[in-house]
Amino acid sequence: MLRSALLNVMVGAALKAGRGLKRDFGEVENLQVSMKGPGDFVSAADRKAEQVLRTELLKARPGYGFVGEEGGRVEGADKTHTWIVDPLDGTTNFLHGIPHFAVSIGLERDGVLVAGVIYNPANDELYVAERGTGAFLNDRRLRVSARRKAEDSVVGCGIPHIGRGDHVQSRNETKIVQSRFGGLRAMGACSLDLAYVAAGRYDGFWERNISPWDIAAGIVIVREAGGFVTDCDGFDNMLINGTVCAGNEPIQKALLGAVKEGQKG
């Protein structure tokens, strides 16, 4: 694929941050046997990756705003563009030596998400998309799955952590989805879940209590792969209310209906 200069900037930043995370991930695996555990080390790795992204992105586009999981929001001179960045999505996986985590970079222009990059350093999978040009995995064009029946489909979900989210609501939604869909997966990295929808690995995905940096890049990638993305109420307010429901057209519609029904309890 031919990438724009903007997308090349995003890819370069993601790959650079990813190289550091891959090195740190090897250390985390060694630390699993220690008494103290690798928690402090992982927090430092997360902050270090965000600093790499901030430096690389703002060096290339110094006026753009920046929203990151670790450092919060930094306003730029250019009020029309904002980077939305998660330096390490899937922190718990990373912490436990599970090779399913990612660097996620989204770009918002005038309130519209226009580009996304998601990179898993553990298996070197690079998902990219720019509005109007399609979505790609390592230069291979992506399309969402063609499955139309819920009972034949596999959907992903996010399960709320201890002390976060509405666990009762989550169980209600999961109960209904399990009764209608062929399979359910919870893999612990929202950006990669959305990338899997774009790649046709998942037929759909939903999650609540998420932050803009968890989903910004994935929204663009799913849509550019021909998929549909809304919040869990069916509207285009994912970044505001922190929910997402994605999939190909029939599965997203069926999944949204199931989630709404589960929301009522």
Side-chain angles (χ1 to χ4, degrees), residues 30-49:
N30 294 333
L31 287 169
Q32 289 299 330
V33 296
S34 73
M35 206 62 183
K36 181 180 178 184
D40 292 342
F41 181 84
V42 171
S43 296
D46 202 344
R47 290 192 300 271
K48 188 166 58 178

Side-chain angles (χ1 to χ4, degrees), residues 1-16 56-57 60-61 83 105 115-117 126 128-130 139:
M1 64 170 291
L2 291 175
R3 297 187 185 127
S4 69
L6 192 62
L7 208 51
N8 278 330
V9 166
M10 297 170 71
V11 167
L15 293 177
K16 187 168 183 178
E56 292 298 309
L57 294 172
R61 297 292 189 275
W83 301 115
I105 306 171
V117 169
L126 176 69
V128 302
E130 195 167 9
D139 295 334

Side-chain angles (χ1 to χ4, degrees), residues 214-238:
D214 295 319
I215 57 175
I219 289 169
V220 182
I221 294 170
V222 170
R223 286 176 170 169
E224 286 301 309
F228 289 73
V229 187
T230 68
D231 60 25
C232 286
D233 297 313
F235 301 108
D236 193 23
N237 294 321
M238 296 80 68

